[in-house]
Amino acid sequence: QVQLVESGGGLVQPGGSLRLSCAASGFNLEDYAIGWFRQAPGKEREGVSCISNTDGSTYYLDSVKGRFTISRDNAKNTVYLQMNSLKPEDTAVYYCAARSNCWSYESDYWGQGTQVTVSS
């Protein structure tokens, strides 16, 4: 059974922090690049961050650079997205996806998403 499950979303005030988790089962997360995507109401889905499965390189959307950090723990088969200094415009449903590499047009597996709401 192949599955990706996101967790860690919730309601947070501007300037606050959340850590999202993407836990894989049924396959080895180490074999895939993992991307984080988000979709806000009325907007298209956008890539937020990606971590390579080859050399561990990381990539970020310009608007989250310096605030978000992506990492992986292969022993736990989990990828994390640490989100600091959150802004209202970060509000969205966040999804993780397993990919052949960070430049793949398609993703192999998607999680169900977790809601992040940044509001005072």
Side-chain angles (χ1 to χ4, degrees), residues 38-49:
R38 68 186 182 187
Q39 187 165 25
K43 299 182 67 176
E44 293 185 348
R45 185 180 63 206
E46 63 181 351
V48 177
S49 185

Side-chain angles (χ1 to χ4, degrees), residues 9-100:
L11 175 64
V12 65
Q13 293 184 349
S17 298
L18 288 172
R19 189 178 75 160
L20 305 184
S21 297
C22 175
S25 61
F27 70 100
N28 191 352
L29 186 147
E30 186 177 6
D31 295 330
Y32 294 85
I34 301 297
W36 283 97
F37 299 81
R38 68 186 182 187
Q39 187 165 25
K43 299 182 67 176
E44 293 185 348
R45 185 180 63 206
E46 63 181 351
V48 177
S49 185
C50 188
I51 185 165
S52 173
N53 63 312
T54 54
D55 61 0
S57 297
T58 58
Y59 307 91
Y60 299 93
L61 183 68
D62 284 345
S63 63
V64 309
K65 287 181 179 178
R67 300 189 297 120
F68 291 11
T69 303
I70 189 170
S71 63
R72 68 166 77 221
D73 187 336
N74 291 329
K76 296 181 178 179
N77 216 25
T78 300
V79 166
Y80 303 97
L81 184 68
Q82 179 67 46
M83 305 186 296
N84 299 325
S85 302
L86 283 162
K87 303 175 180 179
E89 52 262 43
D90 295 318
T91 296
V93 177
Y94 284 71
Y95 303 87
C96 65
R99 310 166 63 79
S100 297

